[in-house]
Amino acid sequence: MGVIEAHRERLPVGAETPELSLGEGGTPLVAVPNLGDQLGVELHVKLEGLNPTGSFKDRGMVVAVAKAVEAGARAVVCASTGNTAASAAAYAARAGLQAVVLTPVGAVATAKRAQSVAAGARLLDVAGSFDEALRACRALAEQDGFVLVNSLNPHRVEGQKTAVFELLDQLGRAPDVIALPYGGGGNLCAFAKGLAEAGAPTLLVAGEAAARPTTFASAIRIAEPAHEQEVQALVAAGRAEIVTLADDELQRAWADLAREGVFCEPASAAGLAALRRRGVEPGSLAVCILTGHGLKDAAAVDRLQVEPTVVEPSLEAILEVLA
Ligand code: F0G
């Protein structure tokens, strides 16, 4: 069951909205006791990288694309560091719409580009930053027949809030803290909306890269967060806290998650890194939202500087290397 079918009554969908699903949502919640013990809390991770295109974007994209079809759109357009593009490409392909995706040249992980190309999207490498690509994309979306599917599209936020309802079901209660990355802030706003609708008092802790325009976590290489004002309002209301992280804190959290068997992409580790920096009330129930799969950005592993070892195919040679 996809997000639209599972959460119909909490989404802006009706009889005219097409049934659209690639099987998004229903992602696992997994306990990470070693990382939890280090923090002195009960810690779980929600594996949003197990959505159909490998990131949390699918929850919102299925709603945005279904609504675009309902509105009679010809094409969907987005600017992206890669995951939004891959998701838009897949859902547009399924729905029979064209997808036009604008990505900052040289700054998108290979696997994410591959997903967009394979799905038949029109992929344009913009000679500029993500922020410049987004501005160009907003202008393109003014054209007739084009619908913007960045998280400025409110249907994206509606779909993404379903992660909260699912999480509360899985835990049987509201967690004390939910930690997640802060790139443009769309997902943070979606979680805040979901928590408000569920009446849950959970604190949101969001990790952003200090080096926003250059961070190695390329998914969140965003200098000007599109949802900054809403995020500031959440902070002022005491519903969210922002933690600014150095790249080495991000990298450590990412590698430590992998060493507990959970391989996410670097940006996805921002929630854990933020909890470590901020600290959490002992004994709390905390959840980190792991937004994208580790295979999305396999090249990031080069940073761990583990050299390949070539060995002769014999027991002696292998034992010698392992000694
Ligand atoms: N994590 C991953 C894996 C992402 O791809 C993104 C954003 C974020 C976190 C941040 O989410 O922007 O809602 O605060 N990726 C966008 C993209 C920018 O184009 O795929 P946010």
Side-chain angles (χ1 to χ4, degrees):
M1 198 192 301
V3 155
I4 294 180
E5 193 183 350
H7 302 281
R8 182 167 279 285
E9 74 290 353
R10 288 170 137 153
L11 294 173
V13 295
E16 304 302 309
T17 316
E19 295 286 338
L20 183 63
S21 173
L22 291 173
E24 63 291 329
T27 56
L29 183 69
V30 177
V32 281
N34 297 327
L35 295 171
D37 287 350
Q38 288 169 13
L39 275 165
V41 303
E42 182 183 339
L43 186 64
H44 300 258
V45 290
K46 188 150 172 69
L47 303 184
E48 289 294 284
L50 293 187
N51 275 297
T53 76
S55 85
F56 73 101
K57 307 282 182 181
D58 295 341
R59 289 180 186 276
M61 195 60 70
V62 69
V63 180
V65 172
K67 294 301 285 185
V69 172
E70 184 180 339
R74 188 159 60 81
V76 295
V77 299
C78 66
S80 179
T81 57
N83 283 326
T84 299
S87 186
Y91 283 90
R94 170 54 69 100
L97 298 182
Q98 195 196 2
V100 179
V101 305
L102 277 64
T103 56
V105 67
V108 175
T110 308
K112 299 178 186 179
R113 290 179 60 85
Q115 288 180 286
S116 290
V117 171
R122 189 71 205 274
L123 182 113
L124 304 179
D125 290 303
V126 175
S129 65
F130 167 81
D131 307 281
E132 289 168 316
L134 181 58
R135 271 193 286 278
C137 195
R138 291 175 78 162
L140 176 60
E142 302 283 310
Q143 305 289 307
D144 226 29
F146 287 88
V147 170
L148 183 74
V149 292
N150 280 98
S151 62
L152 294 162
N153 178 329
H155 298 128
R156 279 277 313 279
V157 173
E158 289 295 319
Q160 279 167 215
K161 77 183 180 188
T162 63
V164 172
F165 309 139
E166 227 177 83
L167 174 59
L168 266 49
D169 271 357
Q170 286 169 311
L171 287 171
R173 57 164 282 205
D176 300 301
V177 180
I178 294 176
L180 75 177
Y182 172 25
N187 208 32
L188 181 53
C189 292
F191 269 76
K193 189 160 199 290
L195 288 169
E197 289 181 15
T202 304
L203 176 70
L204 290 165
V205 173
E208 67 176 350
R212 274 184 167 273
T214 57
T215 174
F216 91 109
S218 63
I220 52 172
R221 206 175 281 163
I222 297 172
E224 304 162 36
H227 296 269
E228 187 168 17
Q229 286 188 351
E230 293 155 84
V231 170
Q232 292 303 337
L234 290 171
V235 171
R239 294 167 63 195
E241 286 180 21
I242 309 301
V243 180
T244 303
L245 300 158
D247 267 16
D248 66 338
E249 291 177 284
L250 282 170
Q251 181 172 328
R252 226 176 299 124
W254 166 72
D256 289 350
L257 280 160
R259 283 174 193 186
E260 196 154 352
V262 183
F263 187 36
C264 62
E265 65 173 289
S268 301
L272 176 63
L275 289 186
R276 284 176 162 182
R277 164 81 83 76
R278 176 190 179 274
V280 196
E281 185 82 8
S284 301
L285 177 57
V287 177
C288 293
I289 307 300
L290 303 189
T291 47
H293 200 289
L295 295 175
K296 285 276 198 174
D297 190 0
V301 174
D302 293 349
R303 293 176 67 95
L304 301 178
Q305 294 180 318
V306 178
E307 293 302 322
T309 307
V310 178
V311 66
E312 292 301 320
S314 74
L315 176 62
E316 301 77 57
I318 293 168
L319 287 176
E320 193 177 320
V321 164
L322 294 181

